[in-house]
Amino acid sequence: MTTARLTIDPVFRVGPVRRRTFGSFVEHLGRSVYSGIHDPDHPTADADGFRGDVVDMVKELGVSTVRYPGGNFVSGYRWEDGIGPVERRPRRVDLAWHSTEPNLVGTDEFMRWCAKAGVEPMMAVNLGTRGVQEALDLLEYCNVPGGTYWSDLRRAHGALEPYRVKMWCLGNEMDGPWQTGHKTPEEYGRLAAETARAMRQMQPDLELVACGSSQSSMPTFGEWERIVLTEAYDQVDYISAHAYYWEEDGDLGSFLASAVDMDHFVASVAATADAVRARRKTDKQIHISFDEWNVWYQDRAESKPPTGDDWPVAPVLLEDRYNVADAVVVGNLLISLLRNSDRVHAASLAQLVNVIAPMMTEPGGRLWKQTTFHPFALTSTHAAGEVLQVALDSPTYETARFGDAPLVDATATWDERAGELVVFVVNRSVTEEVRLEADLRSVPGLRVVEAVTLANPDVYWSATADDDSVAPRANSTAAIADGRLAAVLPAVSWTMIRLAR
Ligand code: AHR
């Protein structure tokens, strides 16, 4: 059996595990909001119409932040449509998803939902069809305690306390020609800088995210970041990154190595930001908000918005069904995000419910977990303390898309206070089990608390509302002796091994 070797020493650290790594995303898109988090006829619905069972499952998933209200949707959104008495709110055309937006859920409802779900809101402002003033108005509505037009309106709508939203995205994917109000990097960089400057005049301690590239394959990738940051460096804290992966043309080997691309993406954006920094002779470092990432089969018919005269409310869109291989890739992308947490200070799994999501609802009915739910929930729950730099010696395999890729990928976290070390590891081999040997002698006295593996003989197995039974199971091969951990990793698998003193 092939062996991969890992050496771990808590002296070598990447940085703290950041809770914001485990963010997600709710967009007014398809059934994400309506019949997703919001379903007034559901037996568990609250006074706002939010499903209680979904709130409970969001907690189980361990989500930290939720980005809202888009996505492409935000680039045509008038946030004022979504406040005040629901019966007086306008219905609007949503150009991004060729839908009708009924505005039954808006800023106030979303903030109440966040409080219920115990998540931090991360808001996006519209820099597609709108600009500085509308962003300021929304900020005033959300964050000014009272005594001004918009803050008093919020209070009149029942929210006496400000929402204190810290993190704001300055538009969405403005590099994409599909974006309503798409801009050149010079145009966008300037608008982002001016919007950020004005928002900070209202509240200096905001955390502001400029749009980076919507994927690393964009023709403007790199140059976009350079120009936007040249315009907006002093005004923003983050540059965003978005990446979606899927198995193309039956090439499972390349798909399983998707995290190679994510690592490269992060390194390229960081290098570009640092080059701008060097030219500006400043100490300030720009961080990365990886605020859309996931597996998404973009070539499937239901990934395309409807066309023609039909402008439906909450159509079925982007309802990808995830298989076991997809879940292994999601687990591996989380390994990459953790490994890069010195630079990636926030991330959002896109999205949360129904739309390319780890959880699915039936209108008025059942709620069930996709395969991708499990690696996210377990990583979010158990990654704690510091992310460690691990030394990995893995055999490689050839991929069509990424060249030679390591067969095994891994990271580890060390929670000194709890005395807990957690290893997250994937085996990307399509055919072979791999033996993992980890030298943990630097932390004497460790024992295995729990070892679980997500794998299935049929890697294309997907959960349904009737059967979501393939979940991580105990890996009985994991054992430690004299500080040396060994475990067998099945082909196409994600594994978490928790050890404690
Ligand atoms: O998450 C789905 C869509 O993907 C978002 O609306 C957009 O920002 C991205 O292209």
Side-chain angles (χ1 to χ4, degrees):
M1 192 185 303
T2 312
T3 301
R5 293 189 174 78
L6 200 56
T7 306
I8 298 177
D9 186 330
V11 165
F12 301 107
R13 299 172 177 202
V14 177
V17 175
R18 298 175 191 280
R19 286 307 305 159
R20 280 183 178 162
T21 307
F22 305 106
S24 188
F25 179 25
V26 168
E27 176 171 4
H28 285 250
L29 188 187
R31 298 195 310 114
S32 174
V33 174
Y34 306 114
S35 88
I37 62 171
H38 183 262
D39 190 350
D41 296 330
H42 193 270
T44 68
D46 66 8
D48 280 319
F50 289 124
R51 280 180 70 151
D53 59 345
V54 171
V55 165
D56 290 343
M57 201 179 268
V58 169
K59 289 181 181 165
E60 190 186 336
L61 185 62
V63 169
S64 55
T65 53
V66 175
R67 184 168 174 253
Y68 175 88
N72 296 341
F73 170 80
V74 79
S75 295
Y77 182 50
R78 285 174 264 210
W79 70 269
E80 306 88 329
D81 290 347
I83 57 170
V86 171
E87 60 285 0
R88 283 200 234 137
R89 295 183 191 174
R91 289 162 70 87
R92 298 273 193 197
V93 156
D94 163 22
L95 295 178
W97 301 107
H98 203 89
S99 304
T100 295
E101 171 53 50
N103 282 306
L104 305 177
V105 172
T107 302
D108 294 304
E109 289 83 12
F110 177 67
M111 294 297 164
R112 289 199 286 273
W113 182 83
C114 286
K116 268 198 133 177
V119 301
E120 177 192 354
M122 176 181 174
M123 294 293 278
V125 299
N126 174 356
L127 294 187
T129 59
R130 310 189 99 190
V132 180
Q133 186 59 60
E134 293 87 351
L136 284 174
D137 293 345
L138 178 58
L139 177 62
E140 181 186 324
Y141 187 85
C142 287
N143 283 11
V144 170
T148 63
Y149 177 79
W150 289 110
S151 62
D152 283 344
L153 196 57
R154 182 200 69 238
R155 291 170 63 89
H157 294 154
L160 299 183
E161 290 300 315
Y163 297 127
R164 298 189 178 90
V165 179
K166 251 333 232 308
M167 227 175 147
W168 294 79
C169 301
L170 303 167
N172 176 70
E173 293 191 349
M174 300 309 300
D175 64 322
W178 58 86
Q179 201 69 213
T180 310
H182 164 58
K183 294 178 175 41
T184 66
E186 290 84 1
E187 288 165 346
Y188 170 69
R190 183 123 178 74
L191 178 58
E194 290 311 324
T195 307
R197 200 192 320 273
M199 290 175 80
R200 283 200 201 284
Q201 282 180 299
M202 194 174 298
Q203 190 180 334
D205 66 347
L206 296 175
E207 295 180 52
L208 300 176
V209 187
C211 294
S213 292
S214 48
Q215 46 187 301
S216 61
S217 58
M218 292 298 286
T220 49
F221 178 59
E223 194 56 358
W224 174 274
E225 282 78 1
R226 185 187 70 76
I227 296 170
V228 167
L229 286 176
T230 300
E231 295 283 348
Y233 200 95
D234 296 337
Q235 277 74 43
V236 303
D237 307 287
Y238 298 83
I239 184 96
S240 71
H242 292 181
Y244 294 101
Y245 301 97
W246 68 98
E247 185 185 335
E248 290 178 61
D249 306 323
D251 183 0
L252 182 57
S254 291
F255 175 53
L256 289 166
S258 296
V260 171
D261 180 74
M262 185 180 251
D263 288 337
H264 177 70
F265 196 157
V266 171
S268 306
V269 173
T272 308
D274 289 347
V276 178
R277 175 189 180 189
R279 291 181 66 174
R280 297 181 76 83
K281 303 183 176 58
T282 170
D283 287 343
K284 177 181 171 183
Q285 194 181 53
I286 297 288
H287 306 302
I288 296 171
S289 172
F290 219 118
D291 47 41
E292 287 188 34
W293 69 270
N294 204 348
V295 172
W296 174 14
Y297 289 81
Q298 300 196 25
D299 48 357
R300 285 186 187 158
E302 63 184 36
S303 283
K304 313 265 181 285
T307 51
D309 295 338
D310 190 21
W311 294 79
V313 175
V316 171
L317 274 174
L318 282 62
E319 297 203 9
D320 288 25
R321 298 299 158 98
Y322 292 120
N323 58 43
V324 172
D326 297 330
V328 171
V329 170
V330 163
N332 199 168
L333 295 174
L334 279 164
I335 288 172
S336 169
L337 291 170
L338 284 172
R339 171 167 50 235
N340 289 295
S341 57
D342 53 337
R343 216 51 205 255
V344 178
H345 285 203
S348 302
L349 174 71
Q351 299 194 7
L352 185 59
V353 184
N354 290 335
V355 170
I356 43 174
M359 58 181 88
M360 303 295 291
T361 66
E362 291 175 338
R366 291 177 293 181
L367 168 67
W368 52 279
K369 292 173 184 164
Q370 298 241 43
T371 53
T372 54
F373 185 97
H374 305 290
F376 189 101
L378 287 167
T379 308
S380 175
T381 304
H382 295 294
E386 297 283 327
V387 183
L388 301 182
Q389 281 176 31
V390 302
L392 179 62
D393 178 12
S394 167
T396 58
Y397 70 115
E398 204 184 310
T399 71
R401 280 166 62 196
F402 308 117
D404 274 357
L407 208 52
V408 166
D409 193 17
T411 190
T413 61
W414 167 238
D415 184 348
E416 192 148 17
R417 256 191 331 182
E420 182 161 306
L421 182 84
V422 188
V423 179
F424 302 95
V425 56
V426 291
N427 175 8
R428 294 167 171 162
S429 171
V430 173
T431 50
E432 306 289 330
E433 290 181 340
V434 172
R435 180 178 163 82
L436 176 75
E437 290 181 2
D439 183 342
L440 306 179
R441 286 174 298 171
S442 59
V443 191
L446 286 176
R447 67 196 158 77
V448 175
V449 176
E450 180 188 21
V452 289
T453 292
L454 179 65
N456 200 47
D458 176 8
V459 299
Y460 294 109
W461 183 93
S462 294
T464 61
D466 294 319
D467 180 7
D468 59 1
S469 59
V470 173
R473 299 196 198 297
N475 183 325
S476 57
T477 66
I480 187 165
D482 301 327
R484 293 176 195 276
L485 170 73
V488 175
L489 311 174
V492 191
S493 65
W494 173 92
T495 295
M496 178 191 76
I497 305 172
R498 293 172 53 214
L499 305 112
R501 284 204 275 238

